[in-house]
Amino acid sequence: RSVPHPTLATFDSPSRSECTVRRQKTNTPLQALVLLNDPTFVEASKVIGEKITRFDSIREGISETFMKLTGRKPNDRELEILLELQEKQYAEFKEHKGKAKGWLASGEYELDVKLDANLIAANAVVASAIMNSDATITKR
């Protein structure tokens, strides 16, 4: 019980043996690797991708997701980059049918079968990109 989860150690979580007032700020390539590949974060991306899909517009879904993950609204450039990423990924998933399964198979969460799986996967990629961005990882 006293050994922290490896993910917490990767993010330089302090030991729980004593109180820590302020955590050190770190951002390492290993943290990015965890955020992109750890099954917990892949499943979280999938769930967030489904939530983005349920919005009336992708723009609104991405903006709200960015706000929830970073604590601020995306600027126009950030939003355009994320919308472009979503469009490219959606086209890629539609062209290569089995590719979306890699994003959607992870974890226990059951997706709504009525929704477009390719769209959910594309939105999951966007969610993963937001989670892996400096705006999310590093509190300034």
Side-chain angles (χ1 to χ4, degrees), residues 104-119:
L104 304 179
S106 182
E108 299 293 318
Y109 182 78
E110 296 288 330
L111 294 171
D112 186 346
V113 293
K114 297 175 195 158
L115 298 174
D116 181 359
N118 294 321
L119 185 57

Side-chain angles (χ1 to χ4, degrees), residues 14-21:
S15 122
R16 295 173 56 178
S17 60
E18 51 189 58
C19 179
T20 303
V21 177

Side-chain angles (χ1 to χ4, degrees), residues 27-82:
N27 189 351
T28 67
L30 189 56
Q31 291 172 353
L33 188 66
V34 168
L35 288 170
L36 288 171
N37 297 305
D38 186 288
T40 303
F41 290 102
V42 174
E43 184 174 15
S45 297
K46 176 176 78 169
V47 173
I48 294 169
E50 183 183 64
K51 289 182 180 191
I52 292 172
T53 305
R54 293 184 183 279
F55 277 87
D56 292 333
S57 75
I58 297 298
R59 177 179 286 274
E60 181 185 1
I62 291 174
S63 293
E64 281 294 315
T65 299
F66 191 95
M67 176 67 165
K68 287 178 182 176
L69 292 174
T70 66
R72 67 174 177 83
K73 292 182 180 180
N75 64 41
D76 292 337
R77 182 71 183 128
E78 290 168 329
L79 187 56
E80 290 307 315
I81 289 169
L82 293 169

